């Protein structure tokens, strides 16, 4: 079965260690578009956080964002599918993490909602210079996140947490996982990402494939992190990056080169373009 859709994570996958898209990766995406193969970012980020050079590539129309919470048709600015957190669940989790030295933000309408005490003190939470730039680009600062959530008529899509203490990170992971009504994943060594149980990249990929009228066996997905696990399992061809989590490599159909060695392009050339 030929590949009709290639989905790829951004951080640690399509983007190199400097958060840039390599020329070879860019050429591979262009070659897919020229052959009518859908090229789809699948990320924990919002649309705002997807690099402009990817979004502006002719033929890049759809995006799986916020770990599958929102699948966008970027051309029409419409939602293909959405899986949101309940407000009471969100508030209970925020009440819990507020007891710790943790930076948290909530995503509503594709925008990260932050507070000044976090936004202007990013160094306290082990964020790299590149991540600090991304946070400043994609967050809106409000006086009180909890009050904003309470008053918002729109349900949240995701909660994001950043830690300076990894023991605290694992403690909170355990407490939130024990609820049983959310999924906890991670895309970085010092963060946790919380979505409703039905919001995963794999589910987002399945929604999009069905929407476009083809099967999961006609999809390929590339990823490196914990929040990519079920997407790699569910895709017809699941590709793990060499720099990825060891468990992900075991789940994948194929392990490609690292994100600093054009790993996505190599996989696209091999399986989608059949070079």
């Amino acid at each position: 079965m030929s590949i009709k859709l290639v989905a790829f994570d951004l951080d640690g996958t399509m983007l190199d260690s400097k958060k840039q898209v390599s020329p070879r990766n860019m050429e591979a995406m262009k070659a897919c578009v020229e052959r009518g193969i859908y090229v789809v970012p699948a990320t924990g980020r919002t649309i705002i956080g997807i690099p402009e050079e990817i979004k502006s590539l002719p033929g890049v129309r759809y995006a799986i964002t916020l770990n599958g919470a929102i699948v966008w048709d970027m051309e029409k600015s419409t939602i293909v599918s959405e899986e949101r957190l309940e407000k009471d669940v969100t508030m209970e989790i925020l009440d819990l993490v507020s007891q710790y030295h943790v930076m948290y933000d909530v995503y509503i309408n594709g925008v990260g909602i932050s507070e000044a005490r976090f936004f202007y003190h990013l160094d306290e939470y082990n964020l790299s210079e590149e991540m600090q730039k991304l946070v400043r680009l994609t967050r809106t600062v409000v006086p009180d996140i909890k009050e904003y959530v309470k008053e918002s008529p729109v349900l949240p899509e995701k909660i994001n947490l950043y830690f300076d203490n990894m023991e605290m990170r694992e403690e909170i992971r355990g407490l939130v996982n024990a609820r049983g009504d959310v999924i906890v994943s991670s895309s970085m060594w010092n963060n946790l990402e919380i979505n409703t149980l039905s919001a995963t990249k794999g589910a987002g990929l399945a929604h999009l494939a069905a929407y476009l009228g083809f099967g999961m066996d006609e999809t390929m997905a590339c990823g490196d992190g914990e929040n990519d696990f079920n997407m790699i399992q569910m895709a017809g061809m699941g590709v793990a990056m060499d720099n990825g989590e060891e468990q992900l490599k075991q789940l994948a159909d194929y392990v490609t080169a690292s994100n600093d060695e054009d790993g996505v392009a190599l996989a696209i050339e091999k399986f989608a373009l059949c070079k």
Side-chain angles (χ1 to χ4, degrees), residues 143-191:
D144 188 306
I145 294 173
K146 292 182 186 179
E147 286 302 316
Y148 189 93
V149 172
K150 286 179 184 177
E151 298 299 323
S152 173
V154 180
L155 293 175
E157 294 111 31
K158 188 180 81 164
I159 301 170
N160 200 15
L161 311 176
Y162 289 102
F163 298 84
D164 67 340
N165 183 307
M166 296 307 102
E167 291 182 3
M168 184 183 299
R169 176 177 180 261
E170 292 312 303
E171 179 181 348
I172 290 180
R173 181 197 287 270
L175 291 170
V176 177
N177 264 329
R179 295 178 56 92
D181 57 358
V182 294
I183 184 168
V184 183
S185 63
S186 176
S187 60
M188 297 171 53
W189 67 276
N190 66 329
N191 89 323

Side-chain angles (χ1 to χ4, degrees), residues 105-266:
D105 45 46
V106 178
Y107 293 83
I108 299 177
N109 274 335
V111 177
I113 307 302
S114 186
E115 291 180 18
R117 62 187 171 122
F118 301 135
F119 190 83
Y120 298 108
H121 300 277
L122 300 178
D123 286 334
E124 294 182 22
Y125 302 96
N126 286 319
L127 271 72
S128 67
E129 183 177 337
E130 291 80 10
M131 281 306 301
Q132 290 192 32
K133 290 178 182 177
L134 179 64
V135 167
R136 293 189 181 103
L137 174 69
T138 58
R139 275 23 171 216
T140 294
V141 177
V142 300
D144 188 306
I145 294 173
K146 292 182 186 179
E147 286 302 316
Y148 189 93
V149 172
K150 286 179 184 177
E151 298 299 323
S152 173
V154 180
L155 293 175
E157 294 111 31
K158 188 180 81 164
I159 301 170
N160 200 15
L161 311 176
Y162 289 102
F163 298 84
D164 67 340
N165 183 307
M166 296 307 102
E167 291 182 3
M168 184 183 299
R169 176 177 180 261
E170 292 312 303
E171 179 181 348
I172 290 180
R173 181 197 287 270
L175 291 170
V176 177
N177 264 329
R179 295 178 56 92
D181 57 358
V182 294
I183 184 168
V184 183
S185 63
S186 176
S187 60
M188 297 171 53
W189 67 276
N190 66 329
N191 89 323
L192 291 176
E193 303 178 16
I194 303 168
N195 291 86
T196 194
L197 285 174
S198 54
T200 66
K201 290 186 183 182
L205 179 60
H207 286 309
L208 181 57
Y211 178 80
L212 295 173
F214 48 80
M216 289 295 282
D217 59 337
E218 298 172 292
T219 68
M220 170 179 157
C222 303
D224 74 301
E226 182 182 340
N227 62 346
D228 298 315
F229 280 11
N230 75 337
M231 178 174 72
I232 298 305
Q233 284 182 297
M234 294 173 66
M237 173 56 64
V239 177
M241 309 300 291
D242 188 55
N243 55 286
E245 298 270 354
E246 287 303 318
Q247 185 179 349
L248 185 67
K249 294 180 190 180
Q250 295 173 14
L251 295 173
D253 299 303
Y254 182 78
V255 178
T256 189
S258 77
N259 64 319
D260 288 322
E261 301 170 310
D262 301 317
V264 172
L266 291 170

